[in-house]
Amino acid sequence: RAAAEQGDGLDDAAPADWVREYVQSRGNHFPDLDHMGEALAHQLSQDRPPHAEGFEVTARHRLAVTHGLTVRTVPADVMVEWTRRFDLHRRRLLLSESLGPSSRAFAVAFQLALSEHDAELTAMAEAAAAPDEATRRLLKVALTNTLAAAILMPYGAFQRTAEETGYDMARLQARFGVSYEQAAHRLTTLSRPTARGVPFFLMR
């Protein structure tokens, strides 16, 4: 899931297989990304605009104020086959109206992850020594997805909630405003030595 949420190019099996094996070799756990996600989630909670509710509103505000980037929801017939597009020239993220709330929030989190930590994500992808440029790009997408999930579902808060609720998926979804699959995937990443979760493995 990490490589597929926002990326493209997955028809090329070789890069996708390499990235999948790399992520699995790390136990699907990237401590640096978890720490970045927690720090940014905390900043968002501190910088929440007056009367704003929910992650998406706060994240959109940060993108606009900090990065000069706007987010627009666009009719599906205008977007055609796209669900999200980044217009670099006009500094705006375009999201299809067909996206549900959790998918829209993830798309915003993905863009926020890139805007805040592009240099770190690039360095991590390069340090992995991927065999070619296509694989390196796909790995960066996977890492950015991981960071986006860590922003939406900060490690400490998510792990504690999972333990306290007995891994109640409905309550995890409601607490963090995510889909079933987003919450399920996050459960597979809970390998922090001081706060481990149940070692789940996700299958579709």
Side-chain angles (χ1 to χ4, degrees):
R1 181 62 175 181
E5 185 86 41
Q6 296 293 333
D8 53 19
L10 288 177
D11 290 336
D12 189 344
D17 289 343
W18 192 96
V19 170
R20 187 178 302 109
E21 290 177 6
Y22 177 79
V23 171
Q24 291 178 359
S25 75
R26 299 289 300 270
N28 201 18
H29 179 59
F30 296 87
D32 290 347
L33 298 180
D34 280 325
H35 289 304
M36 290 178 199
E38 285 182 311
L40 188 47
H42 177 72
Q43 290 173 13
L44 290 173
S45 70
Q46 298 298 306
D47 299 339
R48 181 175 291 114
H51 311 300
E53 293 186 8
F55 167 83
E56 187 180 343
V57 173
T58 306
R60 284 187 183 218
H61 176 76
R62 185 174 180 89
L63 283 169
V65 172
T66 305
H67 303 285
L69 193 157
T70 59
V71 181
R72 288 187 55 197
T73 301
V74 180
D77 57 351
V78 174
M79 295 289 282
V80 193
E81 77 273 19
W82 298 93
T83 56
R84 70 177 294 277
R85 292 192 68 179
F86 181 61
D87 183 345
L88 179 61
H89 178 67
R90 297 185 180 180
R91 300 288 299 162
R92 61 183 184 176
L93 175 66
L94 305 177
L95 302 178
S96 172
E97 65 181 354
S98 65
L99 288 174
S102 61
S103 295
R104 192 172 59 243
F106 196 97
V108 174
F110 183 93
Q111 188 60 54
L112 186 60
L114 275 179
S115 298
E116 297 275 342
H117 293 293
D118 183 66
E120 294 94 329
L121 290 162
T122 297
M124 290 178 68
E126 290 177 348
D132 51 50
E133 181 62 18
T135 305
R136 187 199 64 77
R137 288 198 304 267
L138 190 58
L139 176 59
K140 184 177 177 181
V141 171
L143 295 173
T144 308
N145 280 324
T146 299
L147 179 53
I151 297 168
L152 279 169
M153 297 167 276
Y155 192 104
F158 189 82
Q159 190 269 346
R160 285 193 301 273
T161 303
E163 288 287 312
E164 292 168 0
T165 63
Y167 292 80
D168 186 320
M169 294 299 293
R171 291 174 67 181
L172 287 170
Q173 289 176 251
R175 179 76 59 86
F176 295 94
V178 296
S179 68
Y180 182 95
E181 187 168 355
Q182 288 166 352
H185 185 271
R186 187 61 169 138
L187 288 175
T188 70
T189 70
L190 301 182
S191 298
R192 182 176 286 177
T194 57
R196 292 186 182 277
V198 173
F200 287 107
F201 185 84
L202 181 64
M203 295 182 65
R204 290 189 185 86

